[in-house]
Amino acid sequence: MSWQAYVDSNLIGSGAVTAAGIYDHAGNPWAYSAGFAAQIAEVAAVSGAQAADPTSLAGSGIVVAGVKYMFVSGDKDEVYGKKGNTGVVFCKCNTCILVGYHDDKIQPGACRTAVGKLADYLKENNI
């Protein structure tokens, strides 16, 4: 399965994720949904914080596509931020990081679960 198929089928296709992308730990994109504009430096900043101290994002917030989200929770595997009724979730795998965005029509838990399930699958397969 291609990286784009994971984005299209497993994330967007779940109905629980509005936009998504798969990036390496340095923030370089492997695949992303149309119109999803997370920048390399933005993804790299969260990936680095996950490796060092995810709670450091509480002071700075999480920026995706130029939009700042309030840090809600995070650990070495998952970081979640929200702005109003929208939010972003970052799930770190062995070689990549998944980024999922949900709009105000989707419950945060559903988005986190969809992204988390794909992350678990990729980790089980050493990806």
Side-chain angles (χ1 to χ4, degrees):
M1 185 179 266
S2 73
W3 294 115
Q4 192 62 49
Y6 283 119
V7 170
D8 296 340
S9 301
N10 295 73
L11 297 176
I12 306 301
S14 71
V17 181
T18 307
I22 301 175
Y23 303 82
D24 67 15
H25 290 171
N28 299 301
W30 290 359
Y32 50 88
S33 59
F36 190 63
Q39 300 300 305
I40 292 171
E42 296 169 343
V43 177
V46 175
S47 179
Q50 281 182 289
D53 178 17
T55 59
S56 67
L57 294 167
S60 61
I62 301 164
V63 179
V64 177
V67 177
K68 188 172 183 178
Y69 295 85
M70 179 181 73
F71 172 83
V72 175
S73 64
D75 58 30
K76 65 179 180 56
D77 296 317
E78 181 189 85
V79 167
Y80 179 71
K82 69 178 227 165
K83 178 173 182 158
N85 291 328
T86 65
V88 290
V89 60
F90 290 75
C91 288
K92 198 166 196 174
C93 302
N94 298 337
T95 59
C96 62
I97 186 165
L98 309 179
V99 183
Y101 163 82
H102 71 84
D103 61 17
D104 60 352
K105 296 170 186 66
I106 296 172
Q107 292 294 320
C111 181
R112 292 173 81 167
T113 299
V115 177
K117 279 184 182 178
L118 179 55
D120 289 343
Y121 172 79
L122 294 175
K123 285 190 263 191
E124 288 168 6
N125 288 281
N126 294 318
I127 298 173

